[in-house]
């Protein structure tokens, strides 16, 4: 697997790429792309890191694995390519931003605009086989992204972590809430959004915290 990752992240993560689990993961991913349809496109597997350098991260939003339908996944959690119909979870994210901040809902589901401002849109698993959600679980991605979260939590200060749903909350269980703002709620999926995601106020809380620590708020 060709690891295309920005210089700042490459420096932070360089030792991880040499570990045996990552070599096995790379072999698995290469075989999957060679023999199946896999999302996102190979060049976008590390897109979240490319668009948001380590030193620029202000907010971390943790997803699970990429969308598994054609043209959707672009390497950013919850994001879809321009012109693609908004998935239900993203619709609910936009609804909460409107309720929380009054920002009008847009037809574009491409969240690169957030990444450019310092929002790391990190899936726990970075690849998936077409039409088969969760198909690349337990191959090593979880260990890799655990390490990413650990490095952010230990080497940066005053970040905002948005942990939506039990999966993300388990993923962020070791984040020191005395050093960072850790926001938790139900997941924005239609099955859970009305049980605590809608109304959570995470987007305004994040911006208040960022301003309190002399950081530019996010234009959600």
């Amino acid at each position: 697997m060709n690891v295309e990752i920005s210089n700042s992240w490459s420096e932070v993560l360089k030792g991880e790429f040499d570990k045996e689990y990552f070599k096995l993961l790379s072999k698995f991913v290469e075989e999957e792309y060679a023999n199946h349809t896999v999302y996102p496109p190979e060049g976008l597997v590390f897109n979240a890191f490319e668009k948001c350098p380590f030193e620029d991260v202000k907010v971390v939003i943790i997803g699970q694995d990429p969308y598994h339908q054609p043209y959707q996944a672009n390497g950013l959690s919850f994001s879809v390519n321009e012109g693609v119909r908004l998935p239900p979870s993203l619709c609910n994210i936009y609804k909460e931003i409107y309720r929380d901040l009054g920002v009008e809902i847009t037809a574009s589901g491409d969240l690169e605009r957030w990444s450019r401002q310092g929002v790391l849109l990190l899936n726990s698993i970075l690849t998936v086989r077409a039409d088969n959600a969760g198909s690349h679980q337990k191959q090593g991605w979880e260990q890799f992204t655990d390490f990413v979260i650990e490095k952010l939590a230990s080497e940066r200060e005053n970040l905002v972590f948005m942990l939506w749903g039990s999966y993300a909350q388990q993923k962020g269980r070791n984040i020191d809430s005395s050093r960072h703002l850790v926001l938790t709620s139900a997941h924005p999926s239609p099955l859970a959004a009305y049980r605590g995601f809608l109304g959570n106020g995470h987007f305004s809380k994040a911006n208040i915290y960022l301003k309190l620590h002399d950081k530019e708020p996010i234009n959600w």
Side-chain angles (χ1 to χ4, degrees):
M1 175 171 58
N2 184 24
V3 179
E4 296 178 2
I5 198 164
S6 67
N7 286 337
S8 64
W9 279 109
S10 181
E11 184 65 25
V12 170
L13 302 174
K14 60 184 179 182
E16 210 65 9
F17 303 135
D18 296 326
K19 290 183 178 178
E20 187 62 24
Y21 89 87
F22 197 88
K23 293 176 182 177
L24 293 173
L25 169 63
S26 294
K27 185 174 185 295
F28 167 79
V29 171
E30 287 173 2
E31 290 175 352
E32 285 287 291
Y33 274 104
N35 296 295
H36 305 279
T37 300
V38 174
Y39 300 121
E42 285 188 79
L44 295 178
V45 171
F46 295 96
N47 195 30
F49 303 95
E50 281 295 304
K51 295 298 191 294
C52 188
F54 180 79
E55 66 275 10
D56 293 345
V57 176
K58 295 187 283 189
V59 179
V60 182
I61 299 178
I62 298 175
Q64 191 160 352
D65 62 352
Y67 297 117
H68 54 86
Q69 298 297 322
Y71 311 114
Q72 290 184 313
N74 60 15
L76 308 177
S77 64
F78 295 101
S79 176
V80 291
N81 288 312
E82 195 73 37
V84 174
R85 183 178 179 180
L86 299 182
S89 290
L90 185 53
C91 283
N92 285 328
I93 290 169
Y94 281 174
K95 285 179 185 177
E96 176 54 21
I97 292 172
Y98 177 73
R99 188 211 63 80
D100 190 20
L101 295 170
V103 175
E104 291 292 337
I105 294 174
T106 174
S108 172
D110 188 349
L111 302 181
E112 183 178 326
R113 64 189 184 278
W114 294 0
S115 296
R116 298 288 187 190
Q117 297 177 74
V119 181
L120 181 66
L121 296 164
L122 180 67
N123 277 319
S124 174
I125 302 155
L126 301 190
T127 55
V128 67
R129 194 184 293 185
D131 302 315
N132 195 351
S135 51
H136 287 187
Q137 289 180 1
K138 300 179 181 177
Q139 298 293 336
W141 280 131
E142 294 94 336
Q143 183 174 342
F144 175 72
T145 50
D146 279 348
F147 183 74
V148 169
I149 294 167
E150 176 190 326
K151 296 296 279 187
L152 285 164
S154 63
E155 296 188 11
R156 297 290 312 281
E157 297 283 348
N158 306 131
L159 301 182
V160 180
F161 289 87
M162 295 185 178
L163 309 179
W164 301 332
S166 58
Y167 185 93
Q169 288 161 28
Q170 178 66 16
K171 190 87 175 162
R173 66 192 179 279
N174 294 323
I175 297 167
D176 185 352
S177 59
S178 69
R179 292 181 61 177
H180 306 286
L181 178 62
V182 180
L183 299 173
T184 63
S185 77
H187 194 274
S189 73
L191 296 174
Y194 289 93
R195 299 202 298 268
F197 177 81
L198 295 172
N200 66 17
H202 282 188
F203 303 96
S204 61
K205 290 174 183 175
N207 279 353
I208 290 168
Y209 183 83
L210 292 173
K211 286 189 281 189
L212 185 65
H213 291 92
D214 300 318
K215 298 181 182 183
E216 280 293 315
I218 305 301
N219 181 11
W220 300 105

